[in-house]
């Protein structure tokens, strides 16, 4: 069961906007790469069936935070994590089986990365290795439809996925993620390699997926954050210590319309109005 | 303020000159290699065609026919003191045995070790030490492997019960050791070249490491692994020194029937014929080299075919 978490007592920056059912939450999360700290004391509660955007200047740790949620950060040599992450009430930051977790929390990457296989197998592979027992053809079609790609590829399912355009490839990657039926989809700048039309299609798609999935999206595009997200978290770099290193912190987490119209944190305001970052 | 004209010295004439000079130097280097190869092959063919009937060099048809007849005769004949009857049947059979068994023994071990070192071994000092040592082993002269094989497999350090003696199996194990470093290193390089984004894509779907390796990493790396494997096998089939050490027989009249039989190998027999004082044996040796070269070219062609097949999408 998911429980409403109110971590705001300890961490004023993370006041949850409403008492939505929380699906993913971080409590005092810190991340180090070797000796350098990339994130400090992040506390954030991500509500179910909403789109949460992560914004902030380059290098403030948005991708790092996202990768912590499905433990992809474990793959980076020297990465360490402190604090706690919960998913559906269970602690997932400790000694857990990341393989099981990653099926439930999918990820779409910045650069489209289809497998060097045909379109059909790109979608079917994830389901197959997770022991899917149903009708595979049906699953592939349903996933491609949900990713708004079916009509473009239905006659060439056995063509290589890499022969598609960049925007189609990214939707193929989304279809591939949907096929393993995750609960949360993490997207790291999914549109940064796409043209405005493909971007619009992916954004429409996210809006449509919101009913069934929880989406966390990193974006550098303020307009995109405003258009698609329900909530926005603005990460920042703290003031440099004596070694000149700056660590990522969570400056503000609010409903998107509030954050962009009436930011409480002066650094957030400076960032979204383009004065820093 | 100084103008851009005065701050940059484009020197276009000199730059235009340097490029073609460098290109010409590289072309010359290429030609050296090709030229040497052509001369070498020509010399071998000429030596093979030394005997009667003395066709002029430009009579391509008769020369080719003579060559084919010669190769056929050499492939069927066995060791003999009469150059007109001498041939390589036993050595050829031995080399094919070696090739097949080294492929069965050496390649799985080499590829397995490469996969372990690259995909499973935790990075650290131990891995680095093992890695460096394998790289060094690739440069060890082959005669050293012969001595190792002699002590380890042929004599088993004097333990009679497990000593193999100068059998085919001892040769196979020695050659397998010899090609191990090449196979391990090229396997690792092929695995390292698999893009990280592909691995991440697989893992992010909830794949285990094994599923990722089996379905994505190995297939992408396969062309590279094949290249390394064929390189290793080509080296094994051309080796003479280590086989002399571990007791490949120079004059044997029977091809081996199993791994525990005595054996000979093509390069060993070539070496023996080339040593003969009778100049008519030079023709025999040259013909043997042609057979060996043909074998190597066939293997490389096979490698290219297999490589292209695997590169296709499934
Ligand atoms: N693999 C890594 N090894 C070491 N340090 C890393 C690694 N990945 C990220 N970092 C460091 O962690 C900090 C946060 O990086 P991260 O990629 O999370 O930032 P980001 O907010 O996603 O930036 P961008 O908007 O440019 O993508 C940076 O200082 C970066 O140098
Ligand atoms: Mg990033």
């Amino acid at each position: 069961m998911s429980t409403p978490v109110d971590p705001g007592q300890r961490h004023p920056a993370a006041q949850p906007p409403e008492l939505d059912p929380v699906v993913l939450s971080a409590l005092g999360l810190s991340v180090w790469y070797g000796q350098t700290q990339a994130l400090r004391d992040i506390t954030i509660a991500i509500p179910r069936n909403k789109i949460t955007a992560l914004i902030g200047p380059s290098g403030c740790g948005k991708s790092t935070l996202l990768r912590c949620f499905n433990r992809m950060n474990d793959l980076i040599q020297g990465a360490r994590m402190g604090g706690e992450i919960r998913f559906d009430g269970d602690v997932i930051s400790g000694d857990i089986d990341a393989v099981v977790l990653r099926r439930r929390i999918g990820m779409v990457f910045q650069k489209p990365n289809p497998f060097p296989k045909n379109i059909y197998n790109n979608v079917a592979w994830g389901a197959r290795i997770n022991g899917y027992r149903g009708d595979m053809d049906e699953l592939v079609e349903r996933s491609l439809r949900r990713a708004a790609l079916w009509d473009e590829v239905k006659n060439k399912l056995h063509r290589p996925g890499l022969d598609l355009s960049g925007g189609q490839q990214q939707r193929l990657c989304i279809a591939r993620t949907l096929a393993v039926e995750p609960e949360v989809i993490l997207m790291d700048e999914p549109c940064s390699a796409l043209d405005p039309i493909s971007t619009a299609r992916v954004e429409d798609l996210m809006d449509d997926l919101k009913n069934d999935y929880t989406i966390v999206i990193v974006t550098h595009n303020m307009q995109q954050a405003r258009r698609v997200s329900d909530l926005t978290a603005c990460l920042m770099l703290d003031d440099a210590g004596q070694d000149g290193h700056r660590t990522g912190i969570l400056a503000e987490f609010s409903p998107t319309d509030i954050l962009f119209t009436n930011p409480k944190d002066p650094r957030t305001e400076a960032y979204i109005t383009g004065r820093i970052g | 303020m100084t103008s851009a004209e005065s701050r940059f010295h484009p020197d276009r004439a000199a730059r235009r000159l340097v490029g073609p000079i460098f290109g010409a130097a590289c072309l010359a280097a290429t030609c050296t290699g090709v030229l040497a190869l052509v001369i070498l092959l020509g010399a071998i063919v000429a030596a093979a065609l030394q005997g009667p009937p003395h066709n002029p060099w430009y009579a391509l048809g008769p020369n080719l026919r003579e060559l084919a007849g010669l190769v056929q005769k050499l492939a069927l004949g066995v060791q003999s003191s009469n150059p007109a009857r001498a041939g390589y049947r036993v050595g050829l059979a031995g080399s094919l045995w070696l090739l097949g068994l080294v492929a069965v023994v050496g390649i799985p071990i080499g590829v397995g070790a490469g996969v372990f070192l690259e995909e499973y071994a935790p990075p650290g000092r131990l891995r680095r030490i093992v890695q460096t040592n394998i790289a060094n082993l690739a440069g060890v002269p082959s005669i050293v492997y012969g001595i190792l094989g002699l002590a380890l497999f042929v004599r088993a350090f004097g333990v009679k019960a497990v000593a193999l003696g100068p059998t085919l199996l001892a040769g196979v194990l020695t050659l397998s050791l010899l090609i191990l470093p090449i196979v391990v290193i090229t396997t690792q390089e092929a695995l390292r070249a698999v893009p990280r984004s592909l691995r991440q894509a697989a893992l992010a779907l909830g794949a285990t490491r094994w599923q990722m390796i089996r379905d994505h990493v190995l297939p992408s790396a396969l062309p590279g692994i094949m290249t390394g494997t064929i390189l290793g096998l080509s080296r094994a089939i051309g080796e003479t020194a280590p086989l002399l050490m571990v007791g490949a027989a120079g004059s044997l009249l029977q091809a081996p029937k199993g791994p525990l039989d005595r054996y000979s190998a093509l390069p060993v027999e070539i070496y023996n014929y080339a040593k003969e004082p009778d100049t008519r044996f030079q023709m025999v040796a040259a013909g043997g080299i042609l057979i060996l070269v043909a074998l190597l070219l066939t293997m490389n062609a096979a490698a290219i075919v297999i490589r292209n097949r695997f590169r296709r999408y499934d």
Side-chain angles (χ1 to χ4, degrees):
Chain A
M1 256 311 289
S2 53
T3 42
V5 178
D6 186 3
Q9 311 300 82
R10 278 207 299 135
H11 304 276
Q15 200 78 47
E18 306 137 43
L19 287 184
D20 279 319
V22 170
V23 60
L24 256 183
S25 58
L27 258 164
L29 176 75
S30 295
V31 179
W32 291 263
Y33 292 110
Q35 295 305 311
T36 51
Q37 187 165 12
L39 280 177
R40 174 162 5 95
D41 206 16
I42 305 288
T43 294
I44 186 170
I46 291 165
R48 188 180 288 281
N49 292 3
K50 293 273 192 294
I51 298 179
T52 303
L54 301 181
I55 61 171
S58 191
C60 69
K62 304 177 294 295
S63 302
T64 301
L65 177 60
L66 206 63
R67 284 197 301 261
C68 285
F69 285 137
N70 68 346
R71 299 292 294 267
M72 288 294 276
N73 230 32
D74 295 11
L75 304 175
I76 295 171
Q77 214 190 313
R80 277 180 303 124
M81 188 158 96
E84 193 174 273
I85 300 178
R86 281 172 178 269
F87 173 49
D88 252 0
D90 302 323
V91 176
I92 57 163
S93 44
D95 192 17
I96 57 129
D97 188 1
V99 168
V100 178
L101 179 72
R102 290 185 194 133
R103 190 202 55 78
R104 299 176 64 198
I105 305 183
M107 189 166 216
V108 176
F109 297 86
Q110 178 168 1
K111 220 172 115 232
N113 55 352
F115 297 126
K117 295 173 174 291
N118 65 34
I119 294 172
Y120 183 96
N121 281 328
N122 256 285
V123 181
W125 188 77
R128 200 177 295 135
I129 53 124
N130 279 296
Y132 181 69
R133 288 264 171 273
D135 180 351
M136 190 60 86
D137 292 350
E138 196 262 342
L139 176 73
V140 169
E141 177 173 348
R142 176 155 43 96
S143 306
L144 285 169
R145 276 191 195 282
R146 285 243 56 181
L149 189 60
W150 175 251
D151 291 328
E152 288 156 70
V153 301
K154 64 184 171 199
N155 294 322
K156 49 175 181 178
L157 289 177
H158 294 280
R159 302 277 311 140
L162 286 165
D163 283 3
L164 297 173
S165 76
Q168 289 172 325
Q169 287 187 17
Q170 194 62 301
R171 275 176 287 145
L172 181 62
C173 293
I174 293 174
R176 170 176 82 186
T177 305
L178 297 179
V180 298
E181 300 178 10
E183 292 153 59
V184 178
I185 302 175
L186 309 172
M187 299 184 168
D188 195 349
E189 301 182 43
C191 301
S192 63
L194 306 186
D195 74 333
I197 296 172
S198 303
T199 301
R201 300 203 63 163
V202 173
E203 286 179 6
D204 287 345
L205 179 61
M206 289 199 293
D207 206 51
D208 174 50
L209 293 174
K210 180 165 101 171
N211 300 320
D212 300 307
Y213 305 91
T214 304
I215 295 176
V216 185
I217 176 176
V218 171
T219 177
H220 276 290
N221 182 333
M222 304 292 166
Q223 270 64 44
Q224 183 171 55
R226 289 186 85 154
R227 278 194 301 264
V228 300
S229 71
D230 302 297
L231 297 125
T232 299
C234 183
L235 277 72
M236 273 298 143
L237 287 162
D238 66 358
D239 299 324
Q242 60 272 65
D243 60 347
H245 175 71
R246 303 177 71 186
T247 307
I249 51 168
L250 179 61
E252 183 164 356
F253 181 38
S254 321
T256 300
D257 42 1
I258 295 181
L259 188 129
F260 279 100
T261 52
N262 190 14
K264 286 196 281 293
D265 190 291
R267 289 166 302 185
T268 311
E269 186 181 6
Y271 179 67
I272 60 179
T273 53
R275 270 182 280 133
I276 56 169
Chain B
M1 204 190 89
T2 50
S3 70
E5 285 303 320
S6 64
R7 269 175 292 131
F8 291 95
H9 299 279
D11 225 353
R12 291 214 183 76
R15 270 151 71 192
R16 250 200 300 269
L17 206 64
V18 170
I21 289 177
F22 182 70
C26 291
L27 179 67
T30 313
C31 290
T32 316
V34 172
L35 205 68
L37 209 67
V38 168
I39 291 176
L40 193 66
L41 259 182
I44 294 171
V45 171
L49 294 175
Q50 243 170 29
H54 295 279
N55 297 315
W57 64 271
Y58 47 81
L60 271 186
N63 271 335
L64 275 181
R65 237 169 293 129
E66 190 192 341
L67 208 58
L70 177 73
V71 166
Q72 192 189 5
K73 188 198 69 157
L74 289 177
L76 294 180
V78 293
Q79 185 87 23
S80 161
S81 56
N82 175 2
R85 289 221 305 252
Y88 292 99
R89 197 179 75 213
V90 175
L92 194 57
S95 280
L96 291 177
W97 267 103
L98 284 172
L99 188 66
L101 290 181
V102 168
V104 170
V105 175
I107 290 171
I109 296 178
V111 172
V115 170
F116 177 80
L117 283 175
E118 196 58 34
E119 302 287 329
Y120 289 96
R125 194 201 303 216
L126 185 65
R127 185 173 115 166
R128 235 182 8 257
I129 291 173
V130 173
Q131 193 86 63
T132 316
N133 275 307
I134 290 180
N136 286 339
L137 280 181
V140 169
S142 60
I143 188 83
V144 176
Y145 283 96
I147 296 169
L148 179 67
L150 181 66
L152 193 61
F153 304 124
V154 178
R155 301 212 181 117
F157 300 110
V159 186
K160 284 256 160 45
V162 289
L164 292 169
T167 57
L168 179 59
L169 188 57
V172 166
L173 294 177
T174 306
L175 288 183
S176 296
L177 276 188
L178 176 81
I179 67 163
L180 219 50
I182 307 176
V183 177
V184 171
I185 289 170
T186 45
T187 300
Q188 280 188 282
E189 269 162 16
L191 291 172
R192 216 169 296 147
V194 175
R196 198 149 53 150
S197 64
L198 186 64
R199 298 165 181 274
Q200 287 177 338
L203 292 177
L205 287 170
T208 62
R209 198 202 300 234
W210 159 237
Q211 287 170 325
M212 168 189 85
I213 291 174
R214 181 193 60 196
D215 290 351
H216 299 295
V217 176
L218 279 182
S220 310
L222 207 59
I225 295 178
M226 299 287 295
T227 312
T229 314
I230 301 284
L231 270 178
L233 286 179
S234 305
R235 169 134 192 236
I237 202 164
E239 277 298 345
T240 320
L243 290 180
L244 287 175
M245 286 304 293
V246 297
S251 50
L252 205 64
L253 298 176
Q254 278 278 303
K257 294 196 175 59
L260 293 177
D261 288 347
R262 296 219 54 183
Y263 67 105
S264 185
L266 199 50
V268 174
E269 288 195 336
I270 293 173
Y271 173 70
N272 277 334
Y273 284 129
K275 271 192 321 195
E276 292 285 332
D278 186 341
T279 50
R280 283 174 304 163
F281 275 113
Q282 314 243 306
M283 190 183 75
V284 179
I289 291 172
L290 283 181
I291 297 179
L292 190 60
V293 168
L295 199 62
L296 285 174
L297 290 181
T298 314
M299 279 170 63
N300 286 346
I304 291 169
V305 169
I306 296 172
R307 219 152 73 187
N308 290 345
R309 276 185 71 108
F310 277 112
R311 203 161 269 169
R312 284 211 311 253
Y313 295 98
D314 55 5

